[in-house]
Each structure stands twice: as C-alpha cells, then as structure tokens.
Amino acid sequence: MLEELEKLQIKALAELDKITGSRELEQWRIRYLGKKSRLNQILHSLSILPLVERRSTGARANTIKKTLEATLKEKEEILGEALLLSSLEGRRLDVTLPGQPISSGRFHPITQTLEEICQVFQNMGFQVVEGPDVEWDYYNFEALNIPQDHPARDMFATLWIDSDRDKKSRLLRTHTSPMQIRVMEQRRPPIRVVVPGRCYRYEATDATHESMFYQVEGLAVDKNITLADLKGTLFDFCRCLFGEERKVRFRCDYFPFVEPGVEVAITCLTCNGAGCRLCGYSGWIEILGAGMVHPDVLKRVDIDPEIYSGFAFGLGVERIPMLRYGIDDIRLFYGNDLRFLRQF
Ligand code: FA5
C-alpha cells in the first residue's frame, strides 16, 4: 500500500504541474483529494490493516494528503494571478484612441430665438418677466379696452376654460398683452419689461398659424415717452436680429389697447424686397404689432396719462427663425421630428 501511495503522489503532482485552467484544477482536486479519491479510500481503510502497517501507512497517507493540499493551494494562487494578469491585459485602456463621441443635447430653435430676443432687449435696459398661460377675461380683454361683445374679440379666437362667459371667466391667453396690465398693476413708472410666453388661439393651423405659438410682449412707461422712442427701439431690435441693411417699415394698424397702433414689417429675407411666394410678392413681411399705450389703459391701472405715456409691442416669435432659415411651415417647430430639430 505504501508503494501505491508513493506512485499516487508522483502521478498527482505531475498532473498538477501541467494544469493551466481553473476547471481542470477542480477536477484534479476531486480526483485526488475528493471523498471518492483513492487517497481518501486508503485513509478510511486503515482500520483493517495490522497495527504496525496501519501506523506507517496512515502517517505516510496523511503526509501525502497535506503535500497535495499545499501544492494545490500554491497552484490556485499562481493560476489566479495569471488569470488576473491576462484579464487586465485584455482590458488594457489605450488612452491614445479617439474617444466615443458624446451626443450633446441642444435647445429647441424657438427657445434659442426667445433667448436671443430677450438678450437684445435686456441690453437696452428691459427686464424679462413672465406671466400665467391661464388668464382671466379681465386681463386678456376687459382691461385692454376689449369689453364683452366688442368686435375686436373676433381678432382673437379664444380657447375658454370656464363655460360661463358672463361671469368672471378663465381662458388660455390669446396674446401676451395681459401682462401689460399685470405689470402696471404691480409697478410704478419708469417701467421697461419684455414678456416671453406661450399664446393659444382656437384656429385652424396652416403654414403660418399654430394653435399654440410664442409671443414676446414689450412695455415701456415713463414721462415723455413718444412714438419716436417706439420706432427707435424697434429699429434697433430689427437691425440686431436681421442685420444693418434690413429695411424696417411702420404702418398704421388698429389694436384697441394702443393709440396710435402700428404694424412693423421688414424687407423679405428671401427675395430682399423684390417679391416672392414667402412674402406674398409684396417684398415685406409683418413681424409685430405695436403702439402707444391707450390713455384708458393707463387710467385703469392708476397711472395718470397726463403725466406718463408708454409704448407696447407684441412680436410673433416663430416668424423670426422662419425668415432667417427659410422655413416655410410653422408646424415643423412642434412636430418633434428630430431630423428637423437637429439642424439648429
Ligand atoms: C397681438 O397679439 C397684439 N397683442 C400685439 C400687440 C401688442 C399690439 C402690444 C399692440 C401692442 P396679433 O394678433 O397681430 O397682435 O399677433 C401678433 C403676432 O403674433 C403676429 O404678427 C404673428 O407673428 C403672431 N401670431 C398671431 N397669431 C398667430 C398664430 N396663430 N400662429 C403663429 N403666430 C401667430
């Protein structure tokens, strides 16, 4: 039996030496040190041997078991280290390789335009304020000289929130002009504010009309403000946005809350004033409505029109990137088509 033990040790160690993988190592452990291994069988059958032989065989079998266990442990450590090294080698980072491109987000073209418009007015000393999308009839119409049954209500196809229109009712604001009243209720002149915001109209959509669109309202109230101030401010604004050579035209228009009222147009950016499909062959494109704040509006917010005067304007925001980039349909802005939006 001693001879068998010696042979077993030599065979086991020789096999262990050749092993290169952890799976083979486990199989080796089962084969030479497992419950059913020959070594284990010998250790369990010692009791049937005569006493002298039992002692010597038992001692030798235990020494061989310890040797095999110790060599197995050593081998496990060597293999573990090799495995770690090879996996590190495989995952080695080449810092000289070009990085993965990070696709960065961007602002919606309308948000970009709103920021640009506000920045131009902020540079002229205007402050940016915002107001509610859900508005009272009073601010959207009444306080702006548009009482119930006034024909000017037809200018603004309204989305009502309350069904009973005879009472104090709420609506989705049809323009940003209600903020003229809210600002003048809270502040005393001198006032210089611009109000960017969403507006809503109950209209069929087409290439130039959306049911939700943006406006930027402007309001300046102080002593001695004249139509010349309005013209100067809007001339400067148009030049900043559309370039020095752009021509700006002022023509009379009617809005119940201003007197006089004007409409401002610029020479078409596509045909440079020669006339094309975009400008309806007129050479001009209207971009905003404006005027001198009506004395009755000032009185309503306790500002004396004998002392103070002011101008106001309301600018359609979508028109600006449409003109600049030759976009022929306003609906593209709100269709959420990434192929369109990624161009800005
Ligand atoms: C107004 O909304 C007035 N509140 C403007 C104003 C303010 C006048 C202060 C005087 C003093 P109007 O309805 O014309 O006016 O709208 C102004 C601009 O909003 C238009 O020139 C147009 O560019 C834009 N706009 C109006 N309706 C729509 C629509 N359905 N879709 C997209 N843009 C629109």
Side-chain angles (χ1 to χ4, degrees), residues 175 177 201 203 209-210 213 215 217 255 289 313-314 316 330:
H175 51 171
S177 300
R201 291 193 193 173
E203 283 179 348
H209 292 87
E210 258 291 3
F213 57 97
Q215 281 188 349
E217 191 79 9
F255 299 96
F313 58 86
I330 191 173

Side-chain angles (χ1 to χ4, degrees), residues 144 155-156 174-178 180 199-206 208-218 253-258 260-262 264 286-293 311-320 330:
L144 291 168
M155 288 163 74
F156 307 102
T174 57
H175 51 171
T176 40
S177 300
Q180 290 183 30
C199 304
Y200 307 81
R201 291 193 193 173
Y202 187 47
E203 283 179 348
T205 61
D206 62 26
T208 51
H209 292 87
E210 258 291 3
S211 43
M212 190 285 294
F213 57 97
Y214 280 85
Q215 281 188 349
V216 172
E217 191 79 9
D253 202 351
Y254 170 71
F255 299 96
F257 37 95
V258 286
V262 292
V264 179
E286 188 204 316
I287 54 162
L288 59 88
M292 300 304 291
V293 182
F311 67 75
F313 58 86
L315 167 75
V317 175
E318 286 79 2
R319 282 243 167 126
I320 290 171
I330 191 173

Side-chain angles (χ1 to χ4, degrees), residues 129 132 135-146 175-188 191 193 195 217-219 221 257 293-303 312:
V129 293
E135 197 45 282
W136 294 105
D137 180 310
Y138 174 75
Y139 289 105
N140 199 84
F141 292 129
E142 295 267 343
L144 291 168
N145 290 345
I146 315 173
H175 51 171
T176 40
S177 300
M179 276 303 285
Q180 290 183 30
I181 307 297
R182 285 186 180 272
V183 169
M184 288 191 288
E185 273 181 351
Q186 284 165 13
R187 303 180 187 199
R188 297 292 90 185
I191 295 170
V193 290
V195 189
E217 191 79 9
L219 174 71
V221 184
F257 37 95
V293 182
H294 198 290
D296 289 347
V297 173
L298 292 176
K299 276 187 212 153
R300 203 162 283 121
V301 287
D302 281 333
I303 294 178

Side-chain angles (χ1 to χ4, degrees), residues 321-333:
M322 283 177 83
L323 283 169
R324 276 175 155 183
Y325 306 121
I327 298 161
D328 58 5
D329 199 322
I330 191 173
R331 289 167 291 196
L332 285 165
F333 289 117

